[in-house]
Amino acid sequence: MLYVSNIINYFNRELDGIATKKEINSWAYIVIEHIFGYSKADYILNHDQKISKSNFHKICDIVKELKIYKPIQYIIGETDFFQLKFKLNNSTLIPRPETEELVSWILKHDFSSILDVGTGSGCIAVTIAKLTNSNVDAMDICENALKIAELNAKINSVNVNFILNDIFDTEKIPNYDVIVSNPPYVQKSDILKINKNVSEFEPHRAIFVDDNNPIVFYKKIASLAIKSLNDGGYIFFEINELYHKEILDLLTKIGFVDITLKNDINGKPRMIKACKK
């Protein structure tokens, strides 16, 4: 393979059976942009460009990692979220489209302060800081994740106050207009049901919870939020669709009102909003 025009076919030939053709083509275009800086339109215009040996070896190495189901985002070390660039490492989850939907929902509300609990790569906090004038705090238990989140804030030219903290060691937090979290919510016993690209590469601490208490994070965060949210403030959660009834009941019992369950683009109940009186 010596020309840019051969890359798509090379990916499809080498990765047949690893993923759908649509996904493989998507990976190829991501790699083309990553290595050459070409958009899809640029790719067409530069299809007859020769590929250097060093770039060819880079492409081969990426394909080798894709063959063992390593996510393309970890291979190239970054991803897009809300049309912003975010760096990633193996301590941070790969941001999902459902989380973009959650952020879109939050942005429809007026607020001047927000806390993101379990920020990971910082995708929620950084995006909100970029698109609003609010004061943004972001908390995580993982120091390596916060280093990446801080880098992402710098890359996207925003100010976010990052806090290294274990939410379960926290008894009180400052007052906010909004608290948001996309916490771990997959039972450990479900690990065999999860695709290899997730179970073998993404951080388990950010995904899994004990089977006997799958909504433990929601209980803790909601109990803090009901005390610290300003009157009329909101809590937003991304949730496991299997436990939406339990989380609705939890928020009601704690004292939240105007609780709204929202479906994602696939029609699954994946987001909840609740208001403090």
Side-chain angles (χ1 to χ4, degrees):
M1 181 176 63
L2 297 176
Y3 298 95
V4 170
S5 60
N6 300 129
I7 295 174
I8 303 293
N9 286 337
Y10 175 72
F11 266 67
N12 276 282
R13 184 173 69 251
E14 292 296 317
L15 297 170
D16 183 38
I18 298 292
T20 65
K21 184 172 183 178
K22 181 180 179 180
E23 190 168 16
I24 294 170
N25 286 341
S26 173
W27 292 341
Y29 283 118
I30 289 171
V31 171
I32 289 167
E33 181 179 4
H34 177 67
I35 293 178
F36 302 98
Y38 294 159
S39 65
K40 285 187 179 181
D42 294 330
Y43 164 75
I44 294 170
L45 292 173
N46 294 276
H47 70 281
D48 58 350
Q49 177 185 321
K50 288 186 177 181
I51 300 172
S52 67
K53 284 187 177 180
S54 63
N55 281 338
F56 176 66
H57 288 309
K58 287 179 185 178
I59 292 168
C60 290
D61 288 341
I62 289 171
V63 167
K64 285 178 183 177
E65 293 197 275
L66 287 169
K67 284 182 177 180
I68 62 169
Y69 297 93
K70 187 172 184 178
I72 187 69
Q73 296 91 339
Y74 287 146
I75 296 171
I76 67 173
E78 65 181 22
T79 192
D80 291 336
F81 184 86
F82 249 83
Q83 298 181 325
L84 301 173
K85 286 290 183 185
F86 284 86
K87 297 293 183 180
L88 301 173
N89 66 15
N90 59 9
S91 295
T92 60
L93 285 178
I94 299 168
R96 298 320 202 258
E98 293 87 352
T99 308
E100 287 189 320
E101 293 181 64
L102 179 65
V103 172
S104 294
W105 196 16
I106 295 170
L107 291 172
K108 293 177 181 178
H109 298 73
D110 293 323
F111 55 92
S112 59
S113 60
I114 183 169
L115 170 67
D116 175 23
V117 179
T119 194
S121 66
C123 62
I124 293 176
V126 169
T127 301
I128 288 173
K130 187 74 173 180
L131 299 178
T132 73
N133 293 318
S134 59
N135 294 317
V136 182
D137 289 352
M139 181 188 297
D140 205 285
I141 192 175
C142 179
E143 190 171 0
N144 287 333
L146 284 180
K147 287 178 181 178
I148 287 292
E150 289 171 350
L151 176 60
N152 286 327
K154 185 177 181 180
I155 289 170
N156 288 288
S157 304
V158 298
N159 292 316
V160 176
N161 176 38
F162 291 104
I163 305 161
L164 179 63
N165 196 20
D166 183 346
I167 194 69
F168 293 106
D169 291 337
T170 305
E171 296 304 322
K172 186 178 180 181
I173 55 178
N175 297 109
Y176 296 95
D177 293 330
V178 172
I179 294 174
V180 58
S181 185
N182 175 22
Y185 54 62
V186 179
Q187 288 183 314
K188 289 179 180 178
S189 61
D190 287 336
I191 189 169
L192 297 178
K193 302 176 185 177
I194 293 176
N195 291 336
K196 286 183 180 180
N197 61 320
V198 175
S199 64
E200 295 185 8
F201 294 98
E202 298 205 49
H204 286 197
R205 176 190 269 182
I207 300 172
F208 296 105
V209 288
D210 289 336
D211 289 20
N212 61 357
N213 200 357
I215 64 170
V216 60
F217 281 90
Y218 300 96
K219 290 176 182 176
K220 180 62 178 182
I221 296 167
S223 67
L224 290 171
I226 198 67
K227 300 172 186 174
S228 67
L229 277 172
N230 294 322
D231 291 344
Y234 292 98
I235 188 167
F236 287 87
F237 283 129
E238 184 172 325
I239 67 169
N240 186 330
E241 63 185 279
L242 299 177
Y243 306 117
H244 70 272
K245 291 180 180 178
E246 289 87 344
I247 297 170
L248 286 171
D249 289 343
L250 166 70
L251 294 172
T252 301
K253 289 176 182 176
I254 286 178
F256 284 97
V257 297
D258 298 332
I259 303 170
T260 305
L261 180 67
K262 187 176 176 65
N263 290 346
D264 64 13
I265 195 170
N266 298 311
K268 297 179 180 179
R270 293 295 311 281
M271 294 162 275
I272 285 181
K273 175 186 76 172
C275 181
K276 179 181 176 181
K277 291 181 183 178

